[in-house]
Amino acid sequence: MSTRKNHPPMARVSRSRLLYALCSSASRSPASSLIGGAFHLRHFSAGNVARAKAATEKEPWWKESMERLRNIGISAHIDSGKTTLTERILYYTGRIHEIHEVRGRDGVGAKMDSMDLEREKGITIQSAATYCSWKDYKINIIDTPGHVDFTIEVERALRVLDGAILVLCSVGGVQSQSITVDRQMRRYEVPRLAFINKLDRMGADPWKVLNQARSKLRHHSAAIQVPIGLEDDFKGLVDLVQLKAYYFHGSNGENVVTEEVPADMEAFVAEKRRELIETVSEVDDKLAEAFLGDETISPADLEEAVRRATLAQKFIPVFMGSAFKNKGVQPLLDGVINYLPCPIEVSNYALDQTKNEEKVELLGSPDGPLVALAFKLEEGRFGQLTYLRIYEGVIRKGEFIINVNTGKKIKVPRLVRMHSDEMEDIQEAHAGQIVAVFGVDCASGDTFTDGSVKYTMTSMNVPEPVMSLAVQPVSKDSGGQFSKALNRFQKEDPTFRVGLDPESGQTIISGMGELHLDIYVERIRREYKVDASVGKPRVNFRETVTQRTDFDYLHKKQSGGQGQYGRVIGYIEPLPAGSSTKFEFENMLVGQAIPSNFIPAIEKGFKEAANSGALIGHPVENLRVVLTDGAAHAVDSSELAFKLASIYAFRQCYAASRPVILEPVMLVELKVPTEFQGAVAGDLNKRKGVIVGNDQEGDDSVITAHVPLNNMFGYSTALRSMTQGKGEFTMEYKEHSSVSHDVQMQLINTYKGNKADE
């Protein structure tokens, strides 16, 4: 543990802590507030000092600071209004002084979309971090992308956040990406609020969306607010907890006016409040007792019950509003403070590397040893910018920290807080905060400590890339900049991979979809001034075996001097369905037919052979190799001999194992006007798609289908022409499944033809 805990009691009430208690109790002016762990010495008085001393004697110096901190993310389906909502939050909390729209005609664009590409396309590509203050609380916010191609940005943001807002569109409802984001929130056990946005739009129906959240997302949820009017008549909201009506006046809705519940809505409000109490009672015993005992439930009791149930992830409060029309954002901010956890209310675990990765719960206190996770990297103007979430301890500028993953000791040259692409230098930051450091060389997912412990944080879930493109610089001179760009993007984004095609020698980039790769090619052009030519998109096929086949191969070579001798006997078979690994090697040798020091070489040989299947040269997956016997020579056997024996043994028996080709299948969700439904469904069948769902949503049909990725190239153009530009679709990777026999023959013939041409 940290040596700081051994100081005498008075030394522990250090200057900065005393000041913190002081700042908390002093008048809350900007000068006396805590900004990013830098403490400001102003507004002193004898009374304040006494109060500060008393406070520090009763409870830890950091407790109030932690309770007044929230780390939240805003996630949703494309175009649900995440960035617009973040823009309003920054405006109302005083972080920005004017509002700009996402597709800004004024040429400015939203604050959180700092990349030129984001402003042009009107989409979020990178998650951006910022922080703001609301009613004496500090809120760190990460605005995440909605497109499935940038799913890693959502994944890593949720990994480090304590709470989240799931934004749902009141017209579109629960869409495919809403389901993906919700699944990610569940994976990282993030307590969340739902915000039904766009109540001002034609066809807005928050109750339909709430029912969809219950059925499609299996949310145990209820409305915390009721809208006053909808669509063009949307005027304000009634808070079901406080039983107050809120109206938003002023040019940007900055003046919140509180009034009594409108008389014509009293019965409806009473019914919805009862529904809220019933829903929360099902998961909160304390409220259930009061409810069953017919006691009057006060706003404070209900608020506490909602908070308890939300923190336990048994309930999701649903807020409403229209971010674009500046209505409902301030009550949502109150909801973040009232119902989402502070850093010490969330359990975080690290793995102790000195005790065989034993799980250790981090208390989240700044008094502990430093534990911080690098969750996102960016190449800034001043070198690599590393975003850190501090889970325990304090990080200070100029101090040394240790990268547990590499063992390197690094000095922190510069510590900043981020506000989109702007930075604010700070001297120190403590547990619970999200900061960034410059000039620290590391990879995404590395853990830093102060050296007193050897903890690593559990890793993120990184999906496999599904699509590849061949790229090469147009001019030969720009090769250096080109490889620099690719190295940087690989470091920043774990779903972006770069490889060399061994046959053609081309550089292959792989990612999560067409848009993902297009954006990177465009960034190479803009940020590195390198024009790159792009080959035809290539699908990441896989091969696998379907039956057990034995092998017995002797590799023997005698050419004067030491020869090569190695014999391997065993079998290959498919792994059982649902297996977590893609390749397994099992040594079932009895006795010493092959010396044990050659076994790793045999495994390496089989792994290498499985990298390129004989059908179309793609990697072989779901494969189990079992070694049962073999033979070695006292003089001629070597690691190389056994490695080569394994490669040839695999090639010899592969054809007999009835190999098949697997292709990535995408889950495609389409929303098209009903009159085009027939044409779209017919086109999906042509593309060998399987329609698994068809719902009606107003005048639109929502079609869900499983379609091979190979047949989805250029689909956005085809869909536009079929639906007069009114159709939209999203797709995400579902699984790899075997192709039909005719497609397999076609792929094999194409592969052979290409090889013959070379």
Side-chain angles (χ1 to χ4, degrees), residues 550-596:
D550 296 324
F551 59 82
D552 179 349
Y553 189 86
L554 170 64
H555 175 65
K556 193 174 175 185
K557 205 172 181 185
Q558 202 71 44
S559 56
Q562 188 185 347
Q564 289 180 6
Y565 184 94
R567 184 179 180 190
V568 287
I569 302 171
Y571 59 89
I572 61 172
E573 64 179 2
L575 280 169
S579 178
S580 57
T581 55
K582 308 265 171 87
F583 176 90
E584 260 180 37
F585 176 81
E586 201 169 327
N587 175 15
M588 291 175 71
L589 269 174
V590 179
Q592 284 290 314
I594 300 175
S596 56

Short mmCIF file of all heavy atoms in Angstrom, two decimals, residues 550-596:
data_model
loop_
_atom_site.label_atom_id
_atom_site.label_comp_id
_atom_site.label_asym_id
_atom_site.label_seq_id
_atom_site.Cartn_x
_atom_site.Cartn_y
_atom_site.Cartn_z
N ASP A 550 -7.10 -38.01 -39.34
CA ASP A 550 -5.81 -38.36 -38.73
C ASP A 550 -4.66 -37.88 -39.60
O ASP A 550 -4.79 -37.78 -40.82
CB ASP A 550 -5.70 -39.88 -38.55
CG ASP A 550 -6.75 -40.39 -37.57
OD1 ASP A 550 -7.03 -39.66 -36.60
OD2 ASP A 550 -7.31 -41.49 -37.78
N PHE A 551 -3.52 -37.60 -38.95
CA PHE A 551 -2.31 -37.31 -39.72
C PHE A 551 -1.15 -38.14 -39.17
O PHE A 551 -1.12 -38.50 -37.99
CB PHE A 551 -1.97 -35.80 -39.69
CG PHE A 551 -1.74 -35.22 -38.32
CD1 PHE A 551 -0.52 -35.36 -37.66
CD2 PHE A 551 -2.76 -34.51 -37.67
CE1 PHE A 551 -0.31 -34.81 -36.40
CE2 PHE A 551 -2.56 -33.97 -36.41
CZ PHE A 551 -1.34 -34.12 -35.77
N ASP A 552 -0.24 -38.49 -40.07
CA ASP A 552 0.98 -39.21 -39.69
C ASP A 552 2.02 -38.78 -40.72
O ASP A 552 1.99 -39.21 -41.87
CB ASP A 552 0.73 -40.73 -39.74
CG ASP A 552 1.99 -41.52 -39.38
OD1 ASP A 552 3.08 -40.89 -39.30
OD2 ASP A 552 1.90 -42.74 -39.20
N TYR A 553 2.90 -37.87 -40.33
CA TYR A 553 3.82 -37.30 -41.32
C TYR A 553 5.26 -37.38 -40.81
O TYR A 553 5.55 -37.02 -39.67
CB TYR A 553 3.46 -35.84 -41.62
CG TYR A 553 4.23 -35.29 -42.79
CD1 TYR A 553 3.77 -35.47 -44.09
CD2 TYR A 553 5.44 -34.62 -42.60
CE1 TYR A 553 4.49 -35.00 -45.18
CE2 TYR A 553 6.17 -34.15 -43.69
CZ TYR A 553 5.68 -34.35 -44.98
OH TYR A 553 6.40 -33.88 -46.07
N LEU A 554 6.14 -37.85 -41.70
CA LEU A 554 7.56 -37.93 -41.36
C LEU A 554 8.30 -36.93 -42.25
O LEU A 554 8.22 -36.98 -43.47
CB LEU A 554 8.08 -39.35 -41.63
CG LEU A 554 9.61 -39.53 -41.56
CD1 LEU A 554 10.13 -39.25 -40.16
CD2 LEU A 554 9.99 -40.93 -41.98
N HIS A 555 9.01 -36.00 -41.61
CA HIS A 555 9.81 -35.03 -42.36
C HIS A 555 11.28 -35.44 -42.21
O HIS A 555 11.81 -35.46 -41.11
CB HIS A 555 9.58 -33.62 -41.79
CG HIS A 555 10.46 -32.58 -42.43
ND1 HIS A 555 10.35 -32.25 -43.76
CD2 HIS A 555 11.48 -31.83 -41.93
CE1 HIS A 555 11.25 -31.33 -44.05
NE2 HIS A 555 11.96 -31.05 -42.95
N LYS A 556 11.89 -35.82 -43.34
CA LYS A 556 13.24 -36.38 -43.29
C LYS A 556 14.05 -35.77 -44.43
O LYS A 556 13.61 -35.78 -45.58
CB LYS A 556 13.12 -37.91 -43.47
CG LYS A 556 14.37 -38.69 -43.14
CD LYS A 556 14.00 -40.16 -43.25
CE LYS A 556 15.22 -41.04 -43.04
NZ LYS A 556 14.88 -42.44 -43.28
N LYS A 557 15.21 -35.22 -44.09
CA LYS A 557 16.01 -34.57 -45.11
C LYS A 557 17.48 -34.84 -44.82
O LYS A 557 17.93 -34.60 -43.69
CB LYS A 557 15.74 -33.06 -45.06
CG LYS A 557 15.99 -32.36 -46.37
CD LYS A 557 15.52 -30.92 -46.25
CE LYS A 557 15.73 -30.19 -47.56
NZ LYS A 557 15.39 -28.78 -47.43
N GLN A 558 18.18 -35.40 -45.77
CA GLN A 558 19.59 -35.70 -45.55
C GLN A 558 20.37 -35.10 -46.72
O GLN A 558 20.18 -35.48 -47.86
CB GLN A 558 19.79 -37.22 -45.51
CG GLN A 558 21.05 -37.64 -44.78
CD GLN A 558 20.95 -37.41 -43.27
OE1 GLN A 558 19.93 -37.72 -42.70
NE2 GLN A 558 22.00 -36.89 -42.66
N SER A 559 21.21 -34.11 -46.42
CA SER A 559 21.95 -33.52 -47.54
C SER A 559 23.37 -33.19 -47.10
O SER A 559 23.85 -32.09 -47.28
CB SER A 559 21.23 -32.25 -48.01
OG SER A 559 21.08 -31.38 -46.90
N GLY A 560 23.99 -34.15 -46.47
CA GLY A 560 25.34 -33.89 -45.97
C GLY A 560 25.28 -33.06 -44.71
O GLY A 560 24.46 -32.17 -44.59
N GLY A 561 26.13 -33.32 -43.76
CA GLY A 561 26.07 -32.58 -42.49
C GLY A 561 24.84 -33.01 -41.71
O GLY A 561 24.28 -34.09 -41.93
N GLN A 562 24.41 -32.15 -40.79
CA GLN A 562 23.25 -32.51 -39.97
C GLN A 562 21.98 -32.49 -40.81
O GLN A 562 21.74 -31.56 -41.57
CB GLN A 562 23.10 -31.54 -38.79
CG GLN A 562 22.02 -32.03 -37.82
CD GLN A 562 21.76 -31.02 -36.71
OE1 GLN A 562 22.54 -30.10 -36.55
NE2 GLN A 562 20.71 -31.21 -35.97
N GLY A 563 21.17 -33.53 -40.71
CA GLY A 563 19.93 -33.61 -41.48
C GLY A 563 18.76 -33.05 -40.67
O GLY A 563 18.93 -32.39 -39.65
N GLN A 564 17.57 -33.32 -41.17
CA GLN A 564 16.34 -32.92 -40.45
C GLN A 564 15.48 -34.15 -40.30
O GLN A 564 15.24 -34.88 -41.27
CB GLN A 564 15.59 -31.86 -41.26
CG GLN A 564 16.28 -30.52 -41.29
CD GLN A 564 15.49 -29.50 -42.09
OE1 GLN A 564 14.38 -29.77 -42.53
NE2 GLN A 564 16.06 -28.33 -42.29
N TYR A 565 14.99 -34.36 -39.08
CA TYR A 565 14.15 -35.53 -38.86
C TYR A 565 13.08 -35.18 -37.83
O TYR A 565 13.38 -34.68 -36.74
CB TYR A 565 14.99 -36.71 -38.35
CG TYR A 565 14.19 -38.00 -38.19
CD1 TYR A 565 14.15 -38.95 -39.21
CD2 TYR A 565 13.45 -38.24 -37.03
CE1 TYR A 565 13.40 -40.11 -39.08
CE2 TYR A 565 12.70 -39.40 -36.89
CZ TYR A 565 12.67 -40.34 -37.92
OH TYR A 565 11.92 -41.48 -37.79
N GLY A 566 11.82 -35.43 -38.18
CA GLY A 566 10.73 -35.22 -37.22
C GLY A 566 9.49 -35.93 -37.70
O GLY A 566 9.13 -35.83 -38.89
N ARG A 567 8.85 -36.69 -36.81
CA ARG A 567 7.62 -37.37 -37.19
C ARG A 567 6.52 -36.99 -36.21
O ARG A 567 6.73 -37.00 -34.99
CB ARG A 567 7.83 -38.89 -37.16
CG ARG A 567 6.62 -39.65 -37.65
CD ARG A 567 6.85 -41.13 -37.63
NE ARG A 567 5.69 -41.87 -38.11
CZ ARG A 567 5.57 -43.17 -38.02
NH1 ARG A 567 6.53 -43.91 -37.49
NH2 ARG A 567 4.48 -43.79 -38.47
N VAL A 568 5.36 -36.60 -36.74
CA VAL A 568 4.22 -36.25 -35.88
C VAL A 568 3.01 -37.11 -36.26
O VAL A 568 2.73 -37.32 -37.44
CB VAL A 568 3.86 -34.74 -35.99
CG1 VAL A 568 4.89 -33.88 -35.30
CG2 VAL A 568 3.69 -34.30 -37.43
N ILE A 569 2.32 -37.61 -35.24
CA ILE A 569 1.12 -38.44 -35.44
C ILE A 569 0.01 -37.88 -34.55
O ILE A 569 0.26 -37.51 -33.40
CB ILE A 569 1.39 -39.92 -35.07
CG1 ILE A 569 2.56 -40.48 -35.91
CG2 ILE A 569 0.14 -40.78 -35.25
CD1 ILE A 569 3.04 -41.85 -35.47
N GLY A 570 -1.20 -37.82 -35.08
CA GLY A 570 -2.32 -37.33 -34.27
C GLY A 570 -3.53 -37.10 -35.15
O GLY A 570 -3.69 -37.75 -36.20
N TYR A 571 -4.38 -36.17 -34.77
CA TYR A 571 -5.57 -35.89 -35.59
C TYR A 571 -6.00 -34.43 -35.41
O TYR A 571 -5.64 -33.76 -34.44
CB TYR A 571 -6.73 -36.84 -35.23
CG TYR A 571 -7.19 -36.79 -33.79
CD1 TYR A 571 -8.18 -35.88 -33.38
CD2 TYR A 571 -6.65 -37.66 -32.83
CE1 TYR A 571 -8.61 -35.84 -32.06
CE2 TYR A 571 -7.07 -37.62 -31.51
CZ TYR A 571 -8.06 -36.71 -31.12
OH TYR A 571 -8.49 -36.66 -29.82
N ILE A 572 -6.77 -33.93 -36.41
CA ILE A 572 -7.39 -32.60 -36.29
C ILE A 572 -8.90 -32.81 -36.29
O ILE A 572 -9.41 -33.77 -36.88
CB ILE A 572 -6.98 -31.63 -37.44
CG1 ILE A 572 -7.41 -32.18 -38.82
CG2 ILE A 572 -5.49 -31.36 -37.41
CD1 ILE A 572 -7.21 -31.17 -39.95
N GLU A 573 -9.61 -31.93 -35.59
CA GLU A 573 -11.08 -32.03 -35.54
C GLU A 573 -11.66 -30.65 -35.29
O GLU A 573 -10.97 -29.74 -34.81
CB GLU A 573 -11.50 -33.01 -34.43
CG GLU A 573 -11.13 -32.55 -33.03
CD GLU A 573 -11.58 -33.52 -31.94
OE1 GLU A 573 -12.14 -34.57 -32.26
OE2 GLU A 573 -11.35 -33.20 -30.76
N PRO A 574 -12.96 -30.47 -35.61
CA PRO A 574 -13.57 -29.16 -35.33
C PRO A 574 -13.80 -28.98 -33.82
O PRO A 574 -14.06 -29.96 -33.11
CB PRO A 574 -14.91 -29.22 -36.09
CG PRO A 574 -15.18 -30.66 -36.34
CD PRO A 574 -13.86 -31.37 -36.34
N LEU A 575 -13.70 -27.74 -33.35
CA LEU A 575 -14.00 -27.45 -31.94
C LEU A 575 -15.51 -27.51 -31.74
O LEU A 575 -16.28 -27.24 -32.67
CB LEU A 575 -13.51 -26.04 -31.59
CG LEU A 575 -12.01 -25.89 -31.29
CD1 LEU A 575 -11.65 -24.41 -31.24
CD2 LEU A 575 -11.65 -26.54 -29.98
N PRO A 576 -15.98 -27.83 -30.52
CA PRO A 576 -17.44 -27.85 -30.30
C PRO A 576 -18.05 -26.46 -30.48
O PRO A 576 -17.37 -25.45 -30.28
CB PRO A 576 -17.57 -28.33 -28.85
CG PRO A 576 -16.22 -28.15 -28.24
CD PRO A 576 -15.23 -28.24 -29.34
N ALA A 577 -19.32 -26.40 -30.86
CA ALA A 577 -20.02 -25.12 -31.08
C ALA A 577 -19.99 -24.28 -29.81
O ALA A 577 -20.12 -24.80 -28.70
CB ALA A 577 -21.46 -25.39 -31.51
N GLY A 578 -19.82 -22.97 -29.99
CA GLY A 578 -19.84 -22.07 -28.82
C GLY A 578 -18.52 -22.03 -28.08
O GLY A 578 -18.44 -21.49 -26.98
N SER A 579 -17.48 -22.60 -28.67
CA SER A 579 -16.18 -22.62 -28.00
C SER A 579 -15.60 -21.20 -27.97
O SER A 579 -15.75 -20.44 -28.92
CB SER A 579 -15.24 -23.54 -28.77
OG SER A 579 -13.98 -23.54 -28.17
N SER A 580 -14.92 -20.87 -26.86
CA SER A 580 -14.43 -19.48 -26.71
C SER A 580 -13.14 -19.25 -27.51
O SER A 580 -12.80 -18.13 -27.83
CB SER A 580 -14.18 -19.18 -25.24
OG SER A 580 -13.26 -20.12 -24.71
N THR A 581 -12.40 -20.32 -27.82
CA THR A 581 -11.15 -20.13 -28.57
C THR A 581 -11.34 -20.51 -30.03
O THR A 581 -12.27 -21.22 -30.39
CB THR A 581 -10.02 -21.01 -27.97
OG1 THR A 581 -10.48 -22.36 -27.96
CG2 THR A 581 -9.65 -20.57 -26.58
N LYS A 582 -10.42 -20.02 -30.88
CA LYS A 582 -10.49 -20.30 -32.31
C LYS A 582 -9.56 -21.46 -32.70
O LYS A 582 -9.72 -22.07 -33.73
CB LYS A 582 -10.10 -19.06 -33.11
CG LYS A 582 -10.86 -17.78 -32.71
CD LYS A 582 -12.05 -17.56 -33.60
CE LYS A 582 -12.95 -16.44 -33.13
NZ LYS A 582 -12.57 -15.14 -33.60
N PHE A 583 -8.53 -21.68 -31.85
CA PHE A 583 -7.52 -22.72 -32.15
C PHE A 583 -7.08 -23.36 -30.84
O PHE A 583 -6.80 -22.67 -29.88
CB PHE A 583 -6.31 -22.08 -32.86
CG PHE A 583 -5.18 -23.04 -33.13
CD1 PHE A 583 -5.13 -23.75 -34.32
CD2 PHE A 583 -4.17 -23.26 -32.19
CE1 PHE A 583 -4.08 -24.64 -34.57
CE2 PHE A 583 -3.13 -24.15 -32.42
CZ PHE A 583 -3.10 -24.85 -33.63
N GLU A 584 -7.06 -24.68 -30.82
CA GLU A 584 -6.61 -25.38 -29.61
C GLU A 584 -5.58 -26.43 -30.00
O GLU A 584 -5.76 -27.14 -30.99
CB GLU A 584 -7.80 -26.11 -28.94
CG GLU A 584 -8.39 -25.36 -27.78
CD GLU A 584 -9.56 -26.11 -27.14
OE1 GLU A 584 -9.50 -27.35 -27.06
OE2 GLU A 584 -10.53 -25.46 -26.74
N PHE A 585 -4.53 -26.53 -29.20
CA PHE A 585 -3.52 -27.56 -29.43
C PHE A 585 -3.43 -28.40 -28.17
O PHE A 585 -3.29 -27.86 -27.07
CB PHE A 585 -2.17 -26.93 -29.75
CG PHE A 585 -1.06 -27.94 -29.92
CD1 PHE A 585 -0.90 -28.64 -31.10
CD2 PHE A 585 -0.20 -28.23 -28.86
CE1 PHE A 585 0.12 -29.58 -31.26
CE2 PHE A 585 0.82 -29.17 -29.00
CZ PHE A 585 0.97 -29.85 -30.21
N GLU A 586 -3.53 -29.72 -28.33
CA GLU A 586 -3.47 -30.58 -27.14
C GLU A 586 -2.38 -31.63 -27.33
O GLU A 586 -2.32 -32.31 -28.36
CB GLU A 586 -4.82 -31.25 -26.93
CG GLU A 586 -4.98 -31.72 -25.49
CD GLU A 586 -6.43 -32.16 -25.20
OE1 GLU A 586 -7.38 -31.59 -25.76
OE2 GLU A 586 -6.57 -33.09 -24.41
N ASN A 587 -1.53 -31.73 -26.32
CA ASN A 587 -0.45 -32.71 -26.37
C ASN A 587 -0.88 -33.94 -25.56
O ASN A 587 -0.97 -33.89 -24.35
CB ASN A 587 0.81 -32.07 -25.77
CG ASN A 587 1.95 -33.06 -25.67
OD1 ASN A 587 1.90 -34.13 -26.27
ND2 ASN A 587 2.95 -32.72 -24.88
N MET A 588 -1.19 -35.06 -26.26
CA MET A 588 -1.60 -36.29 -25.57
C MET A 588 -0.55 -37.39 -25.72
O MET A 588 -0.86 -38.57 -25.74
CB MET A 588 -2.97 -36.75 -26.11
CG MET A 588 -4.08 -35.79 -25.69
SD MET A 588 -5.69 -36.18 -26.38
CE MET A 588 -6.11 -37.65 -25.49
N LEU A 589 0.70 -36.95 -25.84
CA LEU A 589 1.80 -37.91 -25.96
C LEU A 589 1.99 -38.67 -24.66
O LEU A 589 1.91 -38.09 -23.57
CB LEU A 589 3.09 -37.15 -26.23
CG LEU A 589 3.50 -36.89 -27.68
CD1 LEU A 589 4.72 -36.00 -27.70
CD2 LEU A 589 3.79 -38.18 -28.41
N VAL A 590 2.19 -39.95 -24.77
CA VAL A 590 2.53 -40.75 -23.59
C VAL A 590 3.97 -41.18 -23.77
O VAL A 590 4.35 -41.69 -24.83
CB VAL A 590 1.59 -41.97 -23.47
CG1 VAL A 590 1.97 -42.80 -22.25
CG2 VAL A 590 0.14 -41.51 -23.37
N GLY A 591 4.79 -40.97 -22.75
CA GLY A 591 6.21 -41.34 -22.88
C GLY A 591 7.01 -40.23 -23.54
O GLY A 591 6.53 -39.10 -23.70
N GLN A 592 8.21 -40.59 -24.00
CA GLN A 592 9.12 -39.57 -24.52
C GLN A 592 9.43 -39.80 -26.00
O GLN A 592 10.58 -39.70 -26.43
CB GLN A 592 10.42 -39.60 -23.71
CG GLN A 592 10.33 -38.96 -22.34
CD GLN A 592 10.19 -37.44 -22.44
OE1 GLN A 592 10.89 -36.79 -23.18
NE2 GLN A 592 9.24 -36.90 -21.70
N ALA A 593 8.39 -40.17 -26.78
CA ALA A 593 8.63 -40.40 -28.21
C ALA A 593 9.20 -39.14 -28.86
O ALA A 593 10.04 -39.20 -29.76
CB ALA A 593 7.33 -40.81 -28.89
N ILE A 594 8.69 -37.96 -28.41
CA ILE A 594 9.23 -36.68 -28.88
C ILE A 594 9.69 -35.92 -27.62
O ILE A 594 8.88 -35.73 -26.71
CB ILE A 594 8.16 -35.84 -29.62
CG1 ILE A 594 7.62 -36.59 -30.84
CG2 ILE A 594 8.72 -34.50 -30.03
CD1 ILE A 594 6.48 -35.89 -31.55
N PRO A 595 10.94 -35.49 -27.55
CA PRO A 595 11.38 -34.72 -26.37
C PRO A 595 10.49 -33.49 -26.16
O PRO A 595 10.09 -32.84 -27.14
CB PRO A 595 12.82 -34.33 -26.73
CG PRO A 595 13.25 -35.33 -27.74
CD PRO A 595 12.02 -35.72 -28.51
N SER A 596 10.20 -33.18 -24.89
CA SER A 596 9.22 -32.12 -24.58
C SER A 596 9.66 -30.75 -25.09
O SER A 596 8.83 -29.88 -25.33
CB SER A 596 8.95 -32.06 -23.08
OG SER A 596 10.17 -31.87 -22.40
#
